[in-house]
Amino acid sequence: MQERAKEDYKAPESTLPDVVANLSYDQHRAIRFRPEQALWRAEPGEFHLQAFYPGWVFKDTTKIFIGTGGVYRQHVFDASDFEYRPPLDPSAFQSLKLDGVAGFRIHAPLQRPDYFDELVTFLGASYFRALGTGTRYGLSARGLAINTATSETEEFPRFTAFYIDQPQPADGSIRIMAELHSQSLTGAYLFVITPGHTTTIDTTCRLYPRTDITRLGIAPLTSMYFFGENDHSDHDDFRPEVHDSDGLYVVRANGEELWRPLKNPQTLALSYLQESSPRAFGLLQRDRDFSHYEDAEARYDVRPSLLIETIGNWGNGTIELVEIPTDSEVNDNIVAFWVPEAKVTAGTPLEFRYNMRWGLATQDPTLMARVAGTYVGVGGNAAEAKDNPTSRRFAINFSGGTIQNLPADAKLEPQVDVPSNARLLDSSLSRLPDGGWRLSLEIEREDSQPVELRVKLSMLQRIVSETWLYQWTSTS
């Protein structure tokens, strides 16, 4: 990949026959991989592989090489590996050989030993997503983000080939390497995937820029936030909340934990957290109460969280959060990634290592209280203030940690940072019935610029909670 970066970029040419390239959405979804054809199904072991058929929007294919003893050979799928359901005519596909496929998925026994569940899927550009025990697909990861939310055209690098070590019977992990191509760079990736209650993907990426890059997003995460407790929906929907993730979580280099609730803004919203080699960041789904979603089909209450744990010194940079307005839950409108402070220049290679944690609970136990809910509404007397957008009431619930054991009259001290373009009108702290604590704030803004709020709890001059962050804009 380092040598290929010295060559001029050539856009991929579609080699799909017309009958495949012209498949409609309904036709494409009528093609299914036959489970009995899965790679390694007839062998003892913990992993099976199935391919996705090309066509429809998946016109750029990827090649799959299987390795044994360090030697990798391309595996070519053919028509007999797939089932062609109505309205398709199976005879139109029987003679086709597929030099490449749209992507693939790995299955493993996540829930019970006699059934192989989907574990991880690589499909489309550099997108992939994984599951831990008891979860359903939600947010996705990407290999890389280039010029996301800038004035320049965004690039979508893609994995053009995968090199997969054939798993042995005693292997608890599967090892996958990948080639990444884009107009601005090439890349080589290593993924070591270990299934479990929390599935981990130990990742190494080496990047070789062809050109200077304005904004390089490392370990990008993509999710959906339609509406929730902190931004009331204008939609006539029976469900109280609809989202794959409800907050951005960050562990700073000094161990401080940050929580930034997500929103569906009325206009594009960008947040920048300047950090020096943070320990971790991720998009989490903290709310696991089914009654808060009431969606028996989508089951947003079991969508996985995804935490990126950095390995080594990442230097100075910014965790960027992009929130895009959406009027539908089918759109992924949330993006988060790490942007190095150092300029990305042609010919200067980069390497990043990180561990990805996918599951219901991706955070380690802590003595710190965590934010359990954020509620926002008009300030003051609601009947009188509903038409006054300059005043807002914020209710922040904290739970867990050592403050859960305190009596109701304990002397907790809120530390509230309000910027110069706003002022704190009122603050109160009270005990909740479930043992947690609620901090209520009334804040008035003084101009139309975003108000960046910051709150944490202390006791006896010691911090006892994570830090709550919030961006209050004139439209939210």
Side-chain angles (χ1 to χ4, degrees):
M1 301 312 295
Q2 188 174 22
E3 290 301 312
R4 291 184 187 181
K6 300 174 184 178
E7 304 170 358
D8 292 337
Y9 173 74
K10 294 181 180 179
E13 296 181 2
S14 178
T15 58
L16 297 178
D18 290 343
V19 68
V20 176
N22 296 328
L23 287 171
S24 68
Y25 168 76
D26 289 329
Q27 291 172 327
H28 185 263
R29 68 194 299 264
I31 302 175
R32 294 288 186 269
F33 193 89
R34 297 181 184 275
E36 64 273 15
Q37 297 296 105
L39 272 64
W40 318 311
R41 184 180 177 89
E43 302 170 18
E46 297 295 306
F47 304 98
H48 296 166
L49 184 149
Q50 299 183 15
F52 290 103
Y53 206 83
W56 184 45
V57 297
F58 303 108
K59 292 181 172 58
D60 294 332
T61 59
T62 187
K63 296 182 179 181
I64 296 177
F65 296 81
I66 305 299
T68 303
V71 178
Y72 295 83
R73 294 183 174 86
Q74 184 179 358
H75 183 90
V76 178
F77 296 89
D78 60 33
S80 64
D81 292 320
F82 297 88
E83 178 185 2
Y84 305 87
R85 302 175 181 178
L88 296 176
D89 177 7
S91 65
F93 302 87
Q94 293 308 314
S95 61
L96 299 180
K97 290 287 185 180
L98 299 176
D99 186 48
V101 291
F104 67 95
R105 58 189 177 190
I106 301 293
H107 291 234
L110 272 178
Q111 313 291 345
R112 42 189 275 189
D114 60 343
Y115 184 82
F116 281 66
D117 308 275
E118 282 195 47
L119 171 67
V120 61
T121 294
F122 289 85
L123 180 63
S126 67
Y127 284 86
F128 61 99
R129 54 185 183 172
L131 295 170
T133 303
T135 59
R136 294 191 183 183
Y137 278 136
L139 80 169
S140 302
R142 280 192 274 170
L144 204 63
I146 298 179
N147 294 333
T148 301
T150 68
S151 59
E152 300 187 25
T153 301
E154 181 173 4
E155 290 182 30
F156 290 91
R158 69 184 191 95
F159 291 130
T160 56
F162 291 89
Y163 300 81
I164 305 172
D165 286 350
Q166 179 166 336
Q168 301 304 305
D171 289 348
S173 303
I174 186 167
R175 186 174 182 269
I176 300 174
M177 294 178 288
E179 299 179 2
L180 181 130
H181 276 279
S182 186
Q183 183 175 347
S184 299
L185 53 69
T186 65
Y189 282 70
L190 170 64
F191 304 102
V192 180
I193 305 170
T194 305
H197 184 75
T198 297
T199 290
T200 62
I201 304 181
D202 188 66
T203 305
T204 301
C205 69
R206 293 176 180 170
L207 307 173
Y208 305 99
R210 285 191 178 97
T211 64
D212 297 350
I213 299 175
T214 300
R215 183 174 300 165
L216 186 67
I218 305 298
L221 317 177
T222 301
S223 191
M224 180 276 294
Y225 185 94
F226 190 23
F227 61 87
E229 61 197 19
N230 61 293
D231 58 349
H232 298 162
S233 170
D234 293 330
H235 301 277
D236 187 12
D237 199 306
F238 74 94
R239 299 167 298 177
E241 301 183 40
V242 175
H243 48 74
D244 285 335
S245 307
D246 54 12
L248 170 69
Y249 173 72
V250 177
V251 183
R252 309 186 71 190
N254 63 3
E256 181 183 7
E257 300 178 53
L258 311 178
W259 178 254
R260 162 70 157 76
L262 299 178
K263 295 182 298 179
N264 180 4
Q266 294 185 23
T267 59
L268 178 68
L270 304 175
S271 297
Y272 306 93
L273 304 179
Q274 293 186 341
E275 300 292 335
S276 178
S277 196
R279 298 183 188 181
F281 66 94
L283 294 175
L284 309 187
Q285 183 79 312
R286 275 189 174 171
D287 192 340
R288 296 298 180 188
D289 191 329
F290 172 79
S291 67
H292 293 179
Y293 303 95
E294 293 294 347
D295 195 322
E297 181 180 356
R299 292 301 304 275
Y300 290 111
D301 57 304
V302 293
R303 299 297 173 100
S305 296
L306 173 52
L307 185 67
I308 305 295
E309 296 177 323
T310 63
I311 299 174
N313 185 358
W314 281 31
N316 296 329
T318 303
I319 297 171
E320 182 169 336
L321 174 66
V322 181
E323 296 168 302
I324 305 168
T326 183
D327 58 2
S328 171
E329 65 195 274
V330 302
N331 299 321
D332 284 343
N333 63 320
I334 304 295
V335 186
F337 47 78
W338 169 259
V339 180
E341 180 180 82
K343 292 183 178 180
V344 180
T345 57
T348 303
L350 301 166
E351 178 172 319
F352 294 89
R353 282 199 63 200
Y354 51 94
N355 187 41
M356 313 179 79
R357 293 168 57 89
W358 304 73
L360 292 172
T362 57
Q363 301 168 274
D364 293 329
T366 177
L367 297 178
M368 292 287 181
R370 288 188 166 135
V371 177
T374 299
Y375 306 89
V376 182
V378 295
N381 184 302
E384 298 175 357
K386 64 180 180 179
D387 295 323
N388 179 12
T390 64
S391 175
R392 301 293 279 175
R393 171 72 65 176
F394 298 86
I396 307 125
N397 290 357
F398 293 89
S399 68
T402 55
I403 69 170
Q404 202 80 6
N405 304 318
L406 292 173
D409 59 352
K411 302 298 181 182
L412 281 172
E413 299 177 0
Q415 296 187 10
V416 182
D417 292 334
V418 178
S420 58
N421 63 333
R423 62 191 182 102
L424 179 63
L425 301 179
D426 182 62
S427 172
S428 63
L429 187 65
S430 58
R431 193 66 180 266
L432 293 170
D434 64 359
W437 295 79
R438 169 169 291 178
L439 176 62
S440 294
L441 307 173
E442 185 172 354
I443 298 174
E444 185 176 61
R445 64 185 311 121
E446 298 185 350
D447 58 29
S448 60
Q449 297 302 307
V451 176
E452 300 287 353
L453 303 173
R454 191 181 186 94
V455 169
K456 53 190 171 184
L457 301 180
S458 67
M459 187 176 189
L460 301 176
Q461 298 182 332
R462 297 198 306 271
I463 302 302
V464 294
S465 78
E466 65 183 3
T467 301
W468 173 86
L469 306 177
Y470 200 86
Q471 184 186 76
W472 174 25
T473 65
S474 59
T475 57
S476 66

